[in-house]
Amino acid sequence: GMPIQSVYSATKAYVTSLTESLWFTAKEKGVRVVNLCPGITATQFNQRAGGKPEDLPKILTQSPEEVVHEALSQLDRGVG
């Protein structure tokens, strides 16, 4: 959980639980189920939520392209 973001945190926990259940149900059929939790991504989400661009720690921020590349790489490797 995160302070002041209880609903956001709860929805992330729900999606993780749902993904695990779907994975367990579908794995014997060869279906892959992925839950992508990328962390800080350089989009307009922070600004639309009332934040400022300088609020994001640059060293921990990924571009959307980096997130997609990493996710597809992990999917190709069968990780997750």
Side-chain angles (χ1 to χ4, degrees):
M2 295 182 291
I4 310 174
Q5 296 186 349
S6 57
V7 173
Y8 179 80
S9 297
T11 59
K12 293 296 182 184
Y14 167 77
V15 170
T16 298
S17 181
L18 177 63
T19 302
E20 289 174 355
S21 295
L22 290 172
W23 167 80
F24 187 79
T25 302
K27 69 179 182 174
E28 291 183 10
K29 295 181 171 125
V31 175
R32 291 193 216 172
V33 180
V34 176
N35 178 15
L36 178 62
C37 299
I40 302 171
T41 307
T43 66
Q44 294 181 359
F45 178 84
N46 186 52
Q47 290 134 306
R48 291 186 181 182
K52 299 176 185 141
E54 59 269 16
D55 292 341
L56 300 178
K58 299 292 184 216
I59 195 162
L60 301 176
T61 304
Q62 292 180 292
S63 71
E65 293 80 10
E66 290 171 316
V67 172
V68 169
H69 180 269
E70 183 65 23
L72 293 177
S73 294
Q74 297 297 318
L75 184 61
D76 285 344
R77 289 181 41 218
V79 175

